[in-house]
Amino acid sequence: MIGRKKETKFVESPSRRSFMEAGSAALAAAAFVGLTANAQQREDTRKAEGDRSSSNPGQENKALLNENPNSNMPPPTDHGDIGPIWYSFDLARKRVEEGGWTHQVTQRELPPSTEITGVNMRLTRGSFRELHWHTADEWAIMLYGNARVTVLNPDGTMFIDDVSKGDLWFFPAGFPHSIQGLGPDDGCEFLLVFNEGMFSEDNTFLISAWIAHTPPEILTKNSNLNQSAIAKLPTDELYIFPANLPGSLAQDKAAVGGKSVESPIRYTFKMEAMAPTKKTSGGEVRVVDSHNFPASKSVAAALVTIKPGGMRELHWHPNASEWQFYLAGKGRMTVFMPPGRARTMDFNANDVGYVPPVAGHYIENTGDTDLVFLEMFKADQYVDFSMNNWIRRLPPEMVTSHLNIDEATIKKIPAENQAVIAG
């Protein structure tokens, strides 16, 4: 930490458990967004940390403070307020059904995130996320277990596939699809990402709800259903519900018509199994966008692994805001915005991070295990700029004029975009 002393005490902040019990996104915003609402000056902060100004003789929630040391007592380089850049799925209310659960982080919980919503979902073995479709495109990554997914194309062709940990899928807006948990594990868990900030997983088009709100005589006229068949139809939405395990993938493909109705478009992709796009001694990055996953036309992603002490180098993205999901480890991120504003936050597994469009930032591994997270963008391709690469592509005298360092020092700066730098 910059200028941090071990005996420094921290300002009181509500606990993560109290957020959950209160069920209020406003509490989280008050605790974390407002910590740097008043601009701090670097020299004033350094002086304060050298005396008792930062001490707190009152009550403290040490568990929360230990999780968020840089959030509560930011480094002296932080300045001003850039708005919320953190939320956690552990604060989001779970909707629990027989067969699984779901919870989400939308623009309501993280107001600046106008382009992306995240949904974390669990299905037990055999259970369905029922046949449905959305107003937004759906990108997903499998976090645990196995699942079978289906999606129908407008031309009547059908895509069916099985996905496992580290696999992706992409379903365009309006395309009807389903997800079913498989064995041998107890179903699956996955992260869904939608390209609408105000999207809600509760507001999807469900086949059960549509049928329940359609007059019986219309169902008879439309689908040749008799009264006994209509009497068996659902009268309310299913959403998530238990069912028997399906047959093999080959059996399901044959049952729907085989090759004659097979989709020409592949809607799944094996992200975790692909070779790293970039790999250094500090970690690795796997980039998936429309270049290598053509179906994913509106969501680009990178799976980043940073080794202890390493960092995602100083960089920015010119084409979209960045929505992050932290899978493992501990890290901290600083986001830089004009005019001279900077904000540092700590991140743990199950947390969500946000970086405004084109804002400079870095992510550092502050733990003793690998830091693993996803970078998500509402874009058809992944694009980033490296500060190091920029500096090294400029004439040396130009850099000297701006940064007051000589040519020999400039040459010590990495010349290429490394993505991840070792500690």
Side-chain angles (χ1 to χ4, degrees), residues 108-140:
R108 287 170 286 272
E109 290 78 30
L110 192 56
S113 185
T114 61
E115 296 181 328
I116 286 181
T117 282
V119 176
N120 183 207
M121 186 174 290
R122 161 98 166 99
L123 298 175
T124 58
R125 184 167 52 186
S127 294
F128 276 102
R129 172 66 174 93
E130 78 157 284
L131 297 165
H132 66 286
W133 70 96
H134 306 289
T135 60
D137 294 340
E138 174 180 309
W139 183 101

PDB file of all heavy atoms in Angstrom, residues 108-140:
ATOM      1  N   ARG A 108     -29.494  -1.146 -11.704  1.00  0.00           N
ATOM      2  CA  ARG A 108     -30.113  -0.708 -10.453  1.00  0.00           C
ATOM      3  C   ARG A 108     -29.130  -0.841  -9.283  1.00  0.00           C
ATOM      4  O   ARG A 108     -29.139  -0.027  -8.364  1.00  0.00           O
ATOM      5  CB  ARG A 108     -31.365  -1.558 -10.186  1.00  0.00           C
ATOM      6  CG  ARG A 108     -32.542  -1.226 -11.101  1.00  0.00           C
ATOM      7  CD  ARG A 108     -33.653  -2.257 -10.965  1.00  0.00           C
ATOM      8  NE  ARG A 108     -33.281  -3.501 -11.622  1.00  0.00           N
ATOM      9  CZ  ARG A 108     -33.509  -3.753 -12.907  1.00  0.00           C
ATOM     10  NH1 ARG A 108     -34.093  -2.846 -13.657  1.00  0.00           N
ATOM     11  NH2 ARG A 108     -33.138  -4.906 -13.443  1.00  0.00           N
ATOM     12  N   GLU A 109     -28.286  -1.882  -9.325  1.00  0.00           N
ATOM     13  CA  GLU A 109     -27.302  -2.080  -8.259  1.00  0.00           C
ATOM     14  C   GLU A 109     -25.996  -1.339  -8.543  1.00  0.00           C
ATOM     15  O   GLU A 109     -25.310  -0.912  -7.616  1.00  0.00           O
ATOM     16  CB  GLU A 109     -26.995  -3.577  -8.098  1.00  0.00           C
ATOM     17  CG  GLU A 109     -28.125  -4.405  -7.509  1.00  0.00           C
ATOM     18  CD  GLU A 109     -29.206  -4.715  -8.504  1.00  0.00           C
ATOM     19  OE1 GLU A 109     -28.900  -4.827  -9.719  1.00  0.00           O
ATOM     20  OE2 GLU A 109     -30.381  -4.848  -8.089  1.00  0.00           O
ATOM     21  N   LEU A 110     -25.631  -1.196  -9.804  1.00  0.00           N
ATOM     22  CA  LEU A 110     -24.387  -0.540 -10.209  1.00  0.00           C
ATOM     23  C   LEU A 110     -24.745   0.502 -11.270  1.00  0.00           C
ATOM     24  O   LEU A 110     -24.623   0.267 -12.468  1.00  0.00           O
ATOM     25  CB  LEU A 110     -23.421  -1.593 -10.765  1.00  0.00           C
ATOM     26  CG  LEU A 110     -21.964  -1.208 -10.985  1.00  0.00           C
ATOM     27  CD1 LEU A 110     -21.331  -0.681  -9.699  1.00  0.00           C
ATOM     28  CD2 LEU A 110     -21.176  -2.393 -11.513  1.00  0.00           C
ATOM     29  N   PRO A 111     -25.226   1.677 -10.848  1.00  0.00           N
ATOM     30  CA  PRO A 111     -25.847   2.654 -11.755  1.00  0.00           C
ATOM     31  C   PRO A 111     -25.043   3.037 -13.001  1.00  0.00           C
ATOM     32  O   PRO A 111     -25.645   3.226 -14.059  1.00  0.00           O
ATOM     33  CB  PRO A 111     -26.094   3.865 -10.838  1.00  0.00           C
ATOM     34  CG  PRO A 111     -26.286   3.258  -9.489  1.00  0.00           C
ATOM     35  CD  PRO A 111     -25.321   2.111  -9.431  1.00  0.00           C
ATOM     36  N   PRO A 112     -23.707   3.181 -12.938  1.00  0.00           N
ATOM     37  CA  PRO A 112     -23.006   3.586 -14.166  1.00  0.00           C
ATOM     38  C   PRO A 112     -23.019   2.527 -15.263  1.00  0.00           C
ATOM     39  O   PRO A 112     -22.763   2.841 -16.424  1.00  0.00           O
ATOM     40  CB  PRO A 112     -21.569   3.841 -13.688  1.00  0.00           C
ATOM     41  CG  PRO A 112     -21.648   4.007 -12.222  1.00  0.00           C
ATOM     42  CD  PRO A 112     -22.771   3.134 -11.794  1.00  0.00           C
ATOM     43  N   SER A 113     -23.302   1.265 -14.927  1.00  0.00           N
ATOM     44  CA  SER A 113     -23.229   0.192 -15.907  1.00  0.00           C
ATOM     45  C   SER A 113     -24.484   0.177 -16.772  1.00  0.00           C
ATOM     46  O   SER A 113     -25.411  -0.603 -16.553  1.00  0.00           O
ATOM     47  CB  SER A 113     -23.043  -1.163 -15.211  1.00  0.00           C
ATOM     48  OG  SER A 113     -22.868  -2.189 -16.158  1.00  0.00           O
ATOM     49  N   THR A 114     -24.503   1.041 -17.768  1.00  0.00           N
ATOM     50  CA  THR A 114     -25.672   1.177 -18.639  1.00  0.00           C
ATOM     51  C   THR A 114     -25.681   0.170 -19.779  1.00  0.00           C
ATOM     52  O   THR A 114     -26.702   0.010 -20.454  1.00  0.00           O
ATOM     53  CB  THR A 114     -25.721   2.591 -19.237  1.00  0.00           C
ATOM     54  OG1 THR A 114     -24.532   2.809 -20.022  1.00  0.00           O
ATOM     55  CG2 THR A 114     -25.793   3.645 -18.144  1.00  0.00           C
ATOM     56  N   GLU A 115     -24.552  -0.520 -19.999  1.00  0.00           N
ATOM     57  CA  GLU A 115     -24.438  -1.384 -21.170  1.00  0.00           C
ATOM     58  C   GLU A 115     -24.535  -2.876 -20.856  1.00  0.00           C
ATOM     59  O   GLU A 115     -24.857  -3.670 -21.735  1.00  0.00           O
ATOM     60  CB  GLU A 115     -23.101  -1.124 -21.877  1.00  0.00           C
ATOM     61  CG  GLU A 115     -22.974   0.288 -22.429  1.00  0.00           C
ATOM     62  CD  GLU A 115     -21.655   0.506 -23.135  1.00  0.00           C
ATOM     63  OE1 GLU A 115     -20.634  -0.100 -22.750  1.00  0.00           O
ATOM     64  OE2 GLU A 115     -21.643   1.314 -24.089  1.00  0.00           O
ATOM     65  N   ILE A 116     -24.259  -3.272 -19.614  1.00  0.00           N
ATOM     66  CA  ILE A 116     -24.173  -4.694 -19.296  1.00  0.00           C
ATOM     67  C   ILE A 116     -24.846  -5.006 -17.962  1.00  0.00           C
ATOM     68  O   ILE A 116     -24.733  -4.234 -17.004  1.00  0.00           O
ATOM     69  CB  ILE A 116     -22.704  -5.171 -19.281  1.00  0.00           C
ATOM     70  CG1 ILE A 116     -22.177  -5.283 -20.717  1.00  0.00           C
ATOM     71  CG2 ILE A 116     -22.537  -6.494 -18.555  1.00  0.00           C
ATOM     72  CD1 ILE A 116     -20.755  -5.776 -20.828  1.00  0.00           C
ATOM     73  N   THR A 117     -25.526  -6.145 -17.934  1.00  0.00           N
ATOM     74  CA  THR A 117     -26.100  -6.728 -16.717  1.00  0.00           C
ATOM     75  C   THR A 117     -25.541  -8.140 -16.563  1.00  0.00           C
ATOM     76  O   THR A 117     -25.347  -8.845 -17.559  1.00  0.00           O
ATOM     77  CB  THR A 117     -27.630  -6.790 -16.827  1.00  0.00           C
ATOM     78  OG1 THR A 117     -28.175  -5.497 -16.576  1.00  0.00           O
ATOM     79  CG2 THR A 117     -28.235  -7.763 -15.812  1.00  0.00           C
ATOM     80  N   GLY A 118     -25.306  -8.555 -15.320  1.00  0.00           N
ATOM     81  CA  GLY A 118     -24.837  -9.907 -15.059  1.00  0.00           C
ATOM     82  C   GLY A 118     -25.831 -10.689 -14.216  1.00  0.00           C
ATOM     83  O   GLY A 118     -26.426 -10.146 -13.283  1.00  0.00           O
ATOM     84  N   VAL A 119     -26.020 -11.957 -14.555  1.00  0.00           N
ATOM     85  CA  VAL A 119     -26.910 -12.862 -13.822  1.00  0.00           C
ATOM     86  C   VAL A 119     -26.129 -14.130 -13.476  1.00  0.00           C
ATOM     87  O   VAL A 119     -25.538 -14.748 -14.357  1.00  0.00           O
ATOM     88  CB  VAL A 119     -28.158 -13.228 -14.649  1.00  0.00           C
ATOM     89  CG1 VAL A 119     -29.010 -14.251 -13.909  1.00  0.00           C
ATOM     90  CG2 VAL A 119     -28.975 -11.981 -14.988  1.00  0.00           C
ATOM     91  N   ASN A 120     -26.112 -14.499 -12.208  1.00  0.00           N
ATOM     92  CA  ASN A 120     -25.469 -15.736 -11.750  1.00  0.00           C
ATOM     93  C   ASN A 120     -26.586 -16.750 -11.468  1.00  0.00           C
ATOM     94  O   ASN A 120     -27.512 -16.448 -10.720  1.00  0.00           O
ATOM     95  CB  ASN A 120     -24.655 -15.442 -10.501  1.00  0.00           C
ATOM     96  CG  ASN A 120     -23.879 -16.629  -9.968  1.00  0.00           C
ATOM     97  OD1 ASN A 120     -23.600 -16.700  -8.787  1.00  0.00           O
ATOM     98  ND2 ASN A 120     -23.513 -17.569 -10.818  1.00  0.00           N
ATOM     99  N   MET A 121     -26.499 -17.936 -12.089  1.00  0.00           N
ATOM    100  CA  MET A 121     -27.598 -18.903 -12.002  1.00  0.00           C
ATOM    101  C   MET A 121     -27.068 -20.296 -11.698  1.00  0.00           C
ATOM    102  O   MET A 121     -25.984 -20.672 -12.115  1.00  0.00           O
ATOM    103  CB  MET A 121     -28.404 -18.918 -13.296  1.00  0.00           C
ATOM    104  CG  MET A 121     -29.663 -19.778 -13.267  1.00  0.00           C
ATOM    105  SD  MET A 121     -30.675 -19.625 -14.769  1.00  0.00           S
ATOM    106  CE  MET A 121     -31.311 -17.955 -14.569  1.00  0.00           C
ATOM    107  N   ARG A 122     -27.887 -21.060 -10.965  1.00  0.00           N
ATOM    108  CA  ARG A 122     -27.576 -22.440 -10.596  1.00  0.00           C
ATOM    109  C   ARG A 122     -28.756 -23.328 -10.958  1.00  0.00           C
ATOM    110  O   ARG A 122     -29.916 -22.982 -10.679  1.00  0.00           O
ATOM    111  CB  ARG A 122     -27.320 -22.490  -9.090  1.00  0.00           C
ATOM    112  CG  ARG A 122     -27.420 -23.884  -8.465  1.00  0.00           C
ATOM    113  CD  ARG A 122     -26.057 -24.508  -8.303  1.00  0.00           C
ATOM    114  NE  ARG A 122     -26.123 -25.664  -7.414  1.00  0.00           N
ATOM    115  CZ  ARG A 122     -26.177 -26.931  -7.843  1.00  0.00           C
ATOM    116  NH1 ARG A 122     -26.198 -27.203  -9.131  1.00  0.00           N
ATOM    117  NH2 ARG A 122     -26.211 -27.923  -6.970  1.00  0.00           N
ATOM    118  N   LEU A 123     -28.466 -24.473 -11.603  1.00  0.00           N
ATOM    119  CA  LEU A 123     -29.481 -25.476 -11.896  1.00  0.00           C
ATOM    120  C   LEU A 123     -29.011 -26.817 -11.352  1.00  0.00           C
ATOM    121  O   LEU A 123     -27.873 -27.235 -11.602  1.00  0.00           O
ATOM    122  CB  LEU A 123     -29.701 -25.606 -13.408  1.00  0.00           C
ATOM    123  CG  LEU A 123     -30.210 -24.379 -14.165  1.00  0.00           C
ATOM    124  CD1 LEU A 123     -30.244 -24.651 -15.656  1.00  0.00           C
ATOM    125  CD2 LEU A 123     -31.580 -23.952 -13.658  1.00  0.00           C
ATOM    126  N   THR A 124     -29.865 -27.503 -10.590  1.00  0.00           N
ATOM    127  CA  THR A 124     -29.509 -28.838 -10.124  1.00  0.00           C
ATOM    128  C   THR A 124     -29.609 -29.830 -11.280  1.00  0.00           C
ATOM    129  O   THR A 124     -30.152 -29.521 -12.346  1.00  0.00           O
ATOM    130  CB  THR A 124     -30.423 -29.275  -8.964  1.00  0.00           C
ATOM    131  OG1 THR A 124     -31.784 -29.247  -9.408  1.00  0.00           O
ATOM    132  CG2 THR A 124     -30.273 -28.353  -7.765  1.00  0.00           C
ATOM    133  N   ARG A 125     -29.113 -31.026 -11.061  1.00  0.00           N
ATOM    134  CA  ARG A 125     -29.072 -32.046 -12.113  1.00  0.00           C
ATOM    135  C   ARG A 125     -30.471 -32.354 -12.629  1.00  0.00           C
ATOM    136  O   ARG A 125     -31.373 -32.679 -11.868  1.00  0.00           O
ATOM    137  CB  ARG A 125     -28.410 -33.303 -11.554  1.00  0.00           C
ATOM    138  CG  ARG A 125     -28.218 -34.404 -12.579  1.00  0.00           C
ATOM    139  CD  ARG A 125     -27.293 -35.475 -12.063  1.00  0.00           C
ATOM    140  NE  ARG A 125     -27.712 -35.973 -10.750  1.00  0.00           N
ATOM    141  CZ  ARG A 125     -27.013 -36.838 -10.028  1.00  0.00           C
ATOM    142  NH1 ARG A 125     -25.840 -37.258 -10.462  1.00  0.00           N
ATOM    143  NH2 ARG A 125     -27.472 -37.252  -8.870  1.00  0.00           N
ATOM    144  N   GLY A 126     -30.653 -32.209 -13.926  1.00  0.00           N
ATOM    145  CA  GLY A 126     -31.941 -32.449 -14.573  1.00  0.00           C
ATOM    146  C   GLY A 126     -32.823 -31.217 -14.658  1.00  0.00           C
ATOM    147  O   GLY A 126     -33.740 -31.167 -15.487  1.00  0.00           O
ATOM    148  N   SER A 127     -32.581 -30.202 -13.835  1.00  0.00           N
ATOM    149  CA  SER A 127     -33.472 -29.035 -13.789  1.00  0.00           C
ATOM    150  C   SER A 127     -33.258 -28.113 -14.989  1.00  0.00           C
ATOM    151  O   SER A 127     -32.154 -28.001 -15.533  1.00  0.00           O
ATOM    152  CB  SER A 127     -33.259 -28.267 -12.491  1.00  0.00           C
ATOM    153  OG  SER A 127     -33.658 -29.047 -11.381  1.00  0.00           O
ATOM    154  N   PHE A 128     -34.360 -27.449 -15.368  1.00  0.00           N
ATOM    155  CA  PHE A 128     -34.381 -26.556 -16.524  1.00  0.00           C
ATOM    156  C   PHE A 128     -34.438 -25.093 -16.115  1.00  0.00           C
ATOM    157  O   PHE A 128     -35.113 -24.731 -15.146  1.00  0.00           O
ATOM    158  CB  PHE A 128     -35.635 -26.809 -17.378  1.00  0.00           C
ATOM    159  CG  PHE A 128     -35.522 -27.930 -18.364  1.00  0.00           C
ATOM    160  CD1 PHE A 128     -36.105 -29.163 -18.088  1.00  0.00           C
ATOM    161  CD2 PHE A 128     -34.878 -27.753 -19.577  1.00  0.00           C
ATOM    162  CE1 PHE A 128     -36.047 -30.204 -18.998  1.00  0.00           C
ATOM    163  CE2 PHE A 128     -34.812 -28.790 -20.498  1.00  0.00           C
ATOM    164  CZ  PHE A 128     -35.398 -30.016 -20.215  1.00  0.00           C
ATOM    165  N   ARG A 129     -33.776 -24.234 -16.865  1.00  0.00           N
ATOM    166  CA  ARG A 129     -34.208 -22.846 -17.040  1.00  0.00           C
ATOM    167  C   ARG A 129     -35.103 -22.917 -18.256  1.00  0.00           C
ATOM    168  O   ARG A 129     -34.647 -23.186 -19.364  1.00  0.00           O
ATOM    169  CB  ARG A 129     -33.001 -21.932 -17.267  1.00  0.00           C
ATOM    170  CG  ARG A 129     -33.371 -20.478 -17.655  1.00  0.00           C
ATOM    171  CD  ARG A 129     -34.073 -19.775 -16.508  1.00  0.00           C
ATOM    172  NE  ARG A 129     -34.287 -18.355 -16.820  1.00  0.00           N
ATOM    173  CZ  ARG A 129     -35.381 -17.858 -17.372  1.00  0.00           C
ATOM    174  NH1 ARG A 129     -36.413 -18.669 -17.663  1.00  0.00           N
ATOM    175  NH2 ARG A 129     -35.498 -16.575 -17.633  1.00  0.00           N
ATOM    176  N   GLU A 130     -36.391 -22.712 -18.039  1.00  0.00           N
ATOM    177  CA  GLU A 130     -37.380 -23.119 -19.029  1.00  0.00           C
ATOM    178  C   GLU A 130     -37.215 -22.434 -20.384  1.00  0.00           C
ATOM    179  O   GLU A 130     -36.516 -21.434 -20.518  1.00  0.00           O
ATOM    180  CB  GLU A 130     -38.794 -22.881 -18.501  1.00  0.00           C
ATOM    181  CG  GLU A 130     -39.259 -21.452 -18.548  1.00  0.00           C
ATOM    182  CD  GLU A 130     -40.794 -21.346 -18.562  1.00  0.00           C
ATOM    183  OE1 GLU A 130     -41.408 -21.596 -19.621  1.00  0.00           O
ATOM    184  OE2 GLU A 130     -41.370 -21.003 -17.523  1.00  0.00           O
ATOM    185  N   LEU A 131     -37.887 -22.980 -21.382  1.00  0.00           N
ATOM    186  CA  LEU A 131     -37.893 -22.417 -22.730  1.00  0.00           C
ATOM    187  C   LEU A 131     -38.315 -20.948 -22.671  1.00  0.00           C
ATOM    188  O   LEU A 131     -39.383 -20.616 -22.160  1.00  0.00           O
ATOM    189  CB  LEU A 131     -38.874 -23.199 -23.612  1.00  0.00           C
ATOM    190  CG  LEU A 131     -38.543 -24.685 -23.844  1.00  0.00           C
ATOM    191  CD1 LEU A 131     -39.766 -25.402 -24.411  1.00  0.00           C
ATOM    192  CD2 LEU A 131     -37.342 -24.830 -24.755  1.00  0.00           C
ATOM    193  N   HIS A 132     -37.467 -20.070 -23.240  1.00  0.00           N
ATOM    194  CA  HIS A 132     -37.720 -18.636 -23.115  1.00  0.00           C
ATOM    195  C   HIS A 132     -36.911 -17.859 -24.148  1.00  0.00           C
ATOM    196  O   HIS A 132     -36.089 -18.422 -24.871  1.00  0.00           O
ATOM    197  CB  HIS A 132     -37.358 -18.146 -21.710  1.00  0.00           C
ATOM    198  CG  HIS A 132     -35.892 -18.223 -21.401  1.00  0.00           C
ATOM    199  ND1 HIS A 132     -35.238 -19.406 -21.138  1.00  0.00           N
ATOM    200  CD2 HIS A 132     -34.938 -17.258 -21.313  1.00  0.00           C
ATOM    201  CE1 HIS A 132     -33.963 -19.185 -20.902  1.00  0.00           C
ATOM    202  NE2 HIS A 132     -33.744 -17.887 -21.006  1.00  0.00           N
ATOM    203  N   TRP A 133     -37.122 -16.543 -24.191  1.00  0.00           N
ATOM    204  CA  TRP A 133     -36.276 -15.656 -24.987  1.00  0.00           C
ATOM    205  C   TRP A 133     -36.228 -14.287 -24.317  1.00  0.00           C
ATOM    206  O   TRP A 133     -36.964 -14.013 -23.367  1.00  0.00           O
ATOM    207  CB  TRP A 133     -36.744 -15.583 -26.439  1.00  0.00           C
ATOM    208  CG  TRP A 133     -38.045 -14.877 -26.706  1.00  0.00           C
ATOM    209  CD1 TRP A 133     -38.221 -13.586 -27.080  1.00  0.00           C
ATOM    210  CD2 TRP A 133     -39.369 -15.444 -26.670  1.00  0.00           C
ATOM    211  NE1 TRP A 133     -39.546 -13.295 -27.258  1.00  0.00           N
ATOM    212  CE2 TRP A 133     -40.272 -14.419 -27.024  1.00  0.00           C
ATOM    213  CE3 TRP A 133     -39.859 -16.714 -26.361  1.00  0.00           C
ATOM    214  CZ2 TRP A 133     -41.645 -14.630 -27.084  1.00  0.00           C
ATOM    215  CZ3 TRP A 133     -41.230 -16.924 -26.424  1.00  0.00           C
ATOM    216  CH2 TRP A 133     -42.109 -15.894 -26.778  1.00  0.00           C
ATOM    217  N   HIS A 134     -35.310 -13.419 -24.803  1.00  0.00           N
ATOM    218  CA  HIS A 134     -35.023 -12.146 -24.141  1.00  0.00           C
ATOM    219  C   HIS A 134     -35.092 -10.968 -25.115  1.00  0.00           C
ATOM    220  O   HIS A 134     -35.025 -11.135 -26.331  1.00  0.00           O
ATOM    221  CB  HIS A 134     -33.596 -12.131 -23.563  1.00  0.00           C
ATOM    222  CG  HIS A 134     -33.257 -13.251 -22.667  1.00  0.00           C
ATOM    223  ND1 HIS A 134     -33.780 -13.386 -21.416  1.00  0.00           N
ATOM    224  CD2 HIS A 134     -32.388 -14.291 -22.822  1.00  0.00           C
ATOM    225  CE1 HIS A 134     -33.272 -14.462 -20.840  1.00  0.00           C
ATOM    226  NE2 HIS A 134     -32.433 -15.041 -21.671  1.00  0.00           N
ATOM    227  N   THR A 135     -35.123  -9.775 -24.531  1.00  0.00           N
ATOM    228  CA  THR A 135     -34.969  -8.542 -25.318  1.00  0.00           C
ATOM    229  C   THR A 135     -33.500  -8.241 -25.581  1.00  0.00           C
ATOM    230  O   THR A 135     -33.177  -7.404 -26.424  1.00  0.00           O
ATOM    231  CB  THR A 135     -35.578  -7.348 -24.572  1.00  0.00           C
ATOM    232  OG1 THR A 135     -34.912  -7.193 -23.302  1.00  0.00           O
ATOM    233  CG2 THR A 135     -37.062  -7.528 -24.344  1.00  0.00           C
ATOM    234  N   ALA A 136     -32.574  -8.886 -24.862  1.00  0.00           N
ATOM    235  CA  ALA A 136     -31.140  -8.614 -24.976  1.00  0.00           C
ATOM    236  C   ALA A 136     -30.400  -9.862 -25.447  1.00  0.00           C
ATOM    237  O   ALA A 136     -30.870 -10.990 -25.290  1.00  0.00           O
ATOM    238  CB  ALA A 136     -30.585  -8.154 -23.625  1.00  0.00           C
ATOM    239  N   ASP A 137     -29.208  -9.653 -26.015  1.00  0.00           N
ATOM    240  CA  ASP A 137     -28.319 -10.769 -26.325  1.00  0.00           C
ATOM    241  C   ASP A 137     -27.827 -11.399 -25.023  1.00  0.00           C
ATOM    242  O   ASP A 137     -27.604 -10.695 -24.034  1.00  0.00           O
ATOM    243  CB  ASP A 137     -27.111 -10.301 -27.135  1.00  0.00           C
ATOM    244  CG  ASP A 137     -27.471  -9.806 -28.525  1.00  0.00           C
ATOM    245  OD1 ASP A 137     -28.557 -10.156 -29.010  1.00  0.00           O
ATOM    246  OD2 ASP A 137     -26.662  -9.062 -29.114  1.00  0.00           O
ATOM    247  N   GLU A 138     -27.634 -12.719 -25.049  1.00  0.00           N
ATOM    248  CA  GLU A 138     -27.171 -13.452 -23.862  1.00  0.00           C
ATOM    249  C   GLU A 138     -25.820 -14.111 -24.144  1.00  0.00           C
ATOM    250  O   GLU A 138     -25.704 -14.953 -25.038  1.00  0.00           O
ATOM    251  CB  GLU A 138     -28.193 -14.521 -23.475  1.00  0.00           C
ATOM    252  CG  GLU A 138     -27.743 -15.432 -22.333  1.00  0.00           C
ATOM    253  CD  GLU A 138     -28.786 -16.486 -21.976  1.00  0.00           C
ATOM    254  OE1 GLU A 138     -29.944 -16.085 -21.770  1.00  0.00           O
ATOM    255  OE2 GLU A 138     -28.455 -17.679 -21.934  1.00  0.00           O
ATOM    256  N   TRP A 139     -24.804 -13.716 -23.367  1.00  0.00           N
ATOM    257  CA  TRP A 139     -23.475 -14.348 -23.380  1.00  0.00           C
ATOM    258  C   TRP A 139     -23.328 -15.062 -22.042  1.00  0.00           C
ATOM    259  O   TRP A 139     -23.790 -14.556 -21.019  1.00  0.00           O
ATOM    260  CB  TRP A 139     -22.418 -13.273 -23.534  1.00  0.00           C
ATOM    261  CG  TRP A 139     -20.980 -13.710 -23.632  1.00  0.00           C
ATOM    262  CD1 TRP A 139     -20.245 -13.806 -24.767  1.00  0.00           C
ATOM    263  CD2 TRP A 139     -20.085 -14.050 -22.559  1.00  0.00           C
ATOM    264  NE1 TRP A 139     -18.957 -14.196 -24.477  1.00  0.00           N
ATOM    265  CE2 TRP A 139     -18.823 -14.359 -23.121  1.00  0.00           C
ATOM    266  CE3 TRP A 139     -20.224 -14.132 -21.173  1.00  0.00           C
ATOM    267  CZ2 TRP A 139     -17.723 -14.731 -22.353  1.00  0.00           C
ATOM    268  CZ3 TRP A 139     -19.132 -14.510 -20.393  1.00  0.00           C
ATOM    269  CH2 TRP A 139     -17.906 -14.806 -20.988  1.00  0.00           C
ATOM    270  N   ALA A 140     -22.686 -16.233 -22.033  1.00  0.00           N
ATOM    271  CA  ALA A 140     -22.590 -16.978 -20.776  1.00  0.00           C
ATOM    272  C   ALA A 140     -21.281 -17.738 -20.698  1.00  0.00           C
ATOM    273  O   ALA A 140     -20.700 -18.131 -21.716  1.00  0.00           O
ATOM    274  CB  ALA A 140     -23.762 -17.948 -20.638  1.00  0.00           C
TER     275      ALA A 140
END
